[in-house]
C-alpha cells in the first residue's frame, strides 16, 4: 500500500513534442505529490508539486494532472527540449512530511533534436 | 548560498570497514533525510530526523546508523553489516512536520563503492 508505480521506464520524444509520464499510488492517505528532475551524477531537484485538493497545476511548460478517484497523477512537459533530457521521479508523502517520500522507479527521458 | 552539502562526492570502502558520509545544511530546516539510490531504481528512505537528538528508521535502515547532534548536520554511517553498500547516497532536508514548508531539497550525493 506504500508503493508508487511509475511508467514508462524510458521515453524518447522529438524536440517540440509533449512528454507524458504517469504514476499511480495505493495509499489514500498520501497528501503531497511532487515530481523531481535528476541529471546524471546530481541530486534530484523539485520540478512541480500538487496536493489532492486540485486537479491540475501548471508551471511554465510543466503540468501535473491529478485524478484522485483513480489514484493517478501525471507529468506533462510541453514543447520538450533537449535540455529536458533527464530522469524524472514522481513521489508521494503524507502527514505534511514533504521529505519523507515514497518514490516511483523513475523515467529516463530523452528529447531528440 | 543556502543549500545542502554532502561530502565526499566519491567514497571507496574496503570490505568490513565502516564509513561515514557527511551532510550539512544551512537552510534552517528541522527535518533531514537519507536516501539510497540504486541504478534504475527510485530513491529509498534509510533514516530521517524531524528534530535534533531524535531520528527514525526508514524502509531500509539495516546496516546503517545516524546521529543528529546539531540541527545543521545529519551524518550517515554505513557499517560492515550492510552487505551491499555500493550505491548513490542522497541527503535531503525540509521544513519538517507541522510547517507549511514541506518541499524537500537534496544534496548532490555521495557515490559509495566497495572495493
Amino acid at each position: 500500500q506504500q508503493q508508487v508505480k511509475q511508467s514508462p521506464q524510458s521515453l524518447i520524444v522529438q524536440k517540440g513534442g509533449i512528454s507524458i509520464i504517469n504514476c499511480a499510488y495505493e495509499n489514500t492517505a498520501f497528501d503531497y505529490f511532487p515530481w523531481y528532475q535528476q541529471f546524471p551524477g546530481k541530486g534530484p531537484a523539485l520540478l512541480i508539486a500538487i496536493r489532492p485538493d486540485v486537479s491540475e497545476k501548471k508551471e511554465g511548460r510543466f503540468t501535473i494532472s491529478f485524478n484522485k478517484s483513480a489514484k493517478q497523477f501525471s507529468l506533462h512537459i510541453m514543447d520538450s527540449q533537449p535540455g529536458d533530457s533527464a530522469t524524472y521521479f514522481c513521489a508521494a508523502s503524507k502527514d505534511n512530511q514533504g521529505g519523507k517520500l515514497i518514490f516511483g522507479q523513475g523515467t529516463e527521458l530523452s528529447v531528440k533534436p | 548560498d543556502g543549500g545542502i552539502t554532502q561530502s565526499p562526492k566519491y567514497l571507496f570502502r574496503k570490505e568490513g570497514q565502516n564509513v561515514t558520509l557527511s551532510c550539512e545544511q544551512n537552510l534552517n530546516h528541522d527535518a533531514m533525510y537519507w536516501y539510497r539510490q540504486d541504478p534504475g531504481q527510485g530513491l529509498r528512505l534509510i533514516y530521517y530526523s524531524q528534530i535534533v537528538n531524535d531520528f527514525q528508521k526508514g524502509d531500509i535502515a539495516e546496516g546503517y546508523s545516524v546521529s543528529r547532534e546539531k540541527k545543521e548536520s545529519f551524518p550517515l554511517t554505513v557499517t560492515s553489516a550492510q552487505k551491499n553498500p555500493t550505491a548513490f547516497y542522497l541527503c535531503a532536508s525540509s521544513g519538517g512536520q507541522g510547517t507549511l514548508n514541506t518541499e524537500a531539497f537534496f544534496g548532490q550525493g555521495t557515490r559509495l563503492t566497495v572495493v
Side-chain angles (χ1 to χ4, degrees):
Chain A
Q1 198 172 17
Q2 285 288 89
Q3 281 187 317
V4 175
K5 294 182 180 179
Q6 183 173 346
S7 64
Q9 189 173 352
S10 62
L11 182 61
I12 299 174
V13 173
Q14 290 298 122
K15 179 182 175 182
I18 302 173
S19 304
I20 302 174
I21 305 170
N22 301 298
C23 283
Y25 64 97
E26 300 169 357
N27 190 342
T28 55
F30 288 145
D31 57 10
Y32 175 68
F33 301 89
W35 283 89
Y36 281 86
Q37 179 189 57
Q38 185 180 31
F39 293 102
K42 304 295 184 183
L46 181 68
L47 200 57
I48 186 172
I50 198 168
R51 295 192 180 273
D53 51 344
V54 296
S55 61
E56 186 175 282
K57 183 175 182 180
K58 183 176 181 180
E59 290 184 2
R61 297 185 294 110
F62 302 93
T63 300
I64 299 180
S65 297
F66 186 81
N67 186 329
K68 188 174 181 178
S69 61
K71 293 187 286 186
Q72 295 175 349
F73 59 110
S74 60
L75 175 69
H76 292 63
I77 305 174
M78 313 299 288
D79 188 25
S80 299
Q81 300 296 312
D84 295 332
S85 298
T87 300
Y88 292 81
F89 292 96
C90 63
S93 70
K94 59 182 180 177
D95 301 330
N96 210 32
Q97 296 186 62
K100 189 183 174 189
L101 296 160
I102 304 295
F103 280 87
Q105 296 87 343
T107 296
E108 190 172 349
L109 171 65
S110 178
V111 181
K112 298 299 185 184
Chain B
D1 283 336
I4 299 176
T5 301
Q6 289 188 241
S7 61
K9 188 171 182 179
Y10 299 97
L11 188 56
F12 298 90
R13 191 194 94 169
K14 294 182 180 179
E15 295 280 354
Q17 266 187 341
N18 292 354
V19 291
T20 298
L21 284 60
S22 171
C23 178
E24 303 275 335
Q25 57 100 357
N26 60 5
L27 300 169
N28 199 32
H29 283 166
D30 288 318
M32 297 187 73
Y33 311 82
W34 275 105
Y35 287 87
R36 169 179 172 142
Q37 185 175 23
D38 293 286
Q41 296 189 33
L43 285 69
R44 292 180 291 167
L45 184 63
I46 304 172
Y47 266 100
Y48 65 102
S49 168
Q50 297 281 9
I51 197 168
V52 174
N53 292 322
D54 186 49
F55 48 83
Q56 307 294 330
K57 292 182 179 180
D59 300 317
I60 55 166
E62 185 175 352
Y64 301 98
S65 65
V66 293
S67 63
R68 187 85 186 277
E69 297 177 0
K70 299 186 300 181
K71 185 176 184 177
E72 302 80 15
S73 178
F74 191 40
L76 173 74
T77 296
V78 184
T79 75
S80 58
Q82 172 49 240
K83 297 305 179 188
N84 186 22
T86 295
F88 191 45
Y89 291 87
L90 289 154
C91 178
S93 71
S94 71
Q97 194 173 16
T99 72
L100 295 177
N101 180 15
T102 55
E103 176 183 346
F105 293 85
F106 283 83
Q108 293 303 293
T110 292
R111 189 166 298 280
L112 174 62
T113 303
V114 173
V115 295

Short mmCIF file of all heavy atoms in Angstrom, two decimals, chain B residues 12-19 78-81:
data_model
loop_
_atom_site.label_atom_id
_atom_site.label_comp_id
_atom_site.label_asym_id
_atom_site.label_seq_id
_atom_site.Cartn_x
_atom_site.Cartn_y
_atom_site.Cartn_z
N PHE B 12 35.33 5.25 -1.34
CA PHE B 12 35.60 3.85 -1.58
C PHE B 12 35.78 3.16 -0.24
O PHE B 12 36.47 3.65 0.64
CB PHE B 12 36.86 3.69 -2.44
CG PHE B 12 36.70 4.31 -3.80
CD1 PHE B 12 37.04 5.64 -4.02
CD2 PHE B 12 36.18 3.56 -4.85
CE1 PHE B 12 36.87 6.22 -5.26
CE2 PHE B 12 36.00 4.13 -6.10
CZ PHE B 12 36.35 5.46 -6.30
N ARG B 13 35.14 2.03 -0.10
CA ARG B 13 35.18 1.30 1.18
C ARG B 13 35.69 -0.11 0.96
O ARG B 13 35.31 -0.77 -0.02
CB ARG B 13 33.77 1.23 1.77
CG ARG B 13 33.75 0.73 3.22
CD ARG B 13 32.34 0.35 3.67
NE ARG B 13 32.08 -1.07 3.49
CZ ARG B 13 31.03 -1.69 3.99
NH1 ARG B 13 30.14 -1.03 4.70
NH2 ARG B 13 30.86 -2.99 3.77
N LYS B 14 36.54 -0.53 1.85
CA LYS B 14 37.00 -1.91 1.82
C LYS B 14 36.01 -2.78 2.58
O LYS B 14 35.27 -2.30 3.44
CB LYS B 14 38.39 -2.04 2.44
CG LYS B 14 39.49 -1.34 1.65
CD LYS B 14 40.84 -1.55 2.31
CE LYS B 14 41.93 -0.85 1.51
NZ LYS B 14 43.26 -1.03 2.15
N GLU B 15 36.03 -4.05 2.27
CA GLU B 15 35.16 -4.99 2.97
C GLU B 15 35.41 -4.91 4.47
O GLU B 15 36.56 -4.88 4.92
CB GLU B 15 35.44 -6.41 2.48
CG GLU B 15 35.10 -6.67 1.03
CD GLU B 15 33.62 -6.91 0.81
OE1 GLU B 15 32.86 -6.99 1.79
OE2 GLU B 15 33.22 -7.00 -0.37
N GLY B 16 34.34 -4.86 5.27
CA GLY B 16 34.49 -4.87 6.71
C GLY B 16 34.72 -3.52 7.35
O GLY B 16 34.81 -3.41 8.57
N GLN B 17 34.81 -2.48 6.54
CA GLN B 17 35.04 -1.14 7.08
C GLN B 17 33.72 -0.41 7.30
O GLN B 17 32.75 -0.61 6.57
CB GLN B 17 35.84 -0.32 6.07
CG GLN B 17 37.32 -0.31 6.28
CD GLN B 17 38.00 0.67 5.33
OE1 GLN B 17 37.46 1.08 4.32
NE2 GLN B 17 39.22 1.04 5.68
N ASN B 18 33.73 0.44 8.31
CA ASN B 18 32.65 1.42 8.46
C ASN B 18 33.09 2.72 7.78
O ASN B 18 34.26 3.09 7.86
CB ASN B 18 32.38 1.72 9.94
CG ASN B 18 31.78 0.55 10.68
OD1 ASN B 18 31.45 -0.48 10.09
ND2 ASN B 18 31.65 0.68 11.99
N VAL B 19 32.15 3.39 7.14
CA VAL B 19 32.46 4.70 6.58
C VAL B 19 31.33 5.66 6.94
O VAL B 19 30.17 5.26 7.09
CB VAL B 19 32.62 4.65 5.05
CG1 VAL B 19 33.89 3.90 4.67
CG2 VAL B 19 31.40 4.05 4.38
N VAL B 78 27.76 3.96 7.22
CA VAL B 78 27.48 2.69 6.57
C VAL B 78 28.36 1.66 7.26
O VAL B 78 29.60 1.74 7.19
CB VAL B 78 27.79 2.76 5.07
CG1 VAL B 78 27.40 1.45 4.39
CG2 VAL B 78 27.06 3.93 4.42
N THR B 79 27.76 0.76 7.97
CA THR B 79 28.53 -0.20 8.77
C THR B 79 28.88 -1.44 7.96
O THR B 79 28.33 -1.67 6.87
CB THR B 79 27.77 -0.59 10.04
OG1 THR B 79 26.72 -1.50 9.67
CG2 THR B 79 27.19 0.62 10.74
N SER B 80 29.74 -2.26 8.53
CA SER B 80 30.13 -3.51 7.87
C SER B 80 28.96 -4.49 7.79
O SER B 80 29.01 -5.47 7.05
CB SER B 80 31.30 -4.15 8.63
OG SER B 80 30.94 -4.37 9.97
N ALA B 81 27.90 -4.22 8.54
CA ALA B 81 26.72 -5.08 8.49
C ALA B 81 25.89 -4.86 7.23
O ALA B 81 25.03 -5.69 6.89
CB ALA B 81 25.85 -4.84 9.72
#
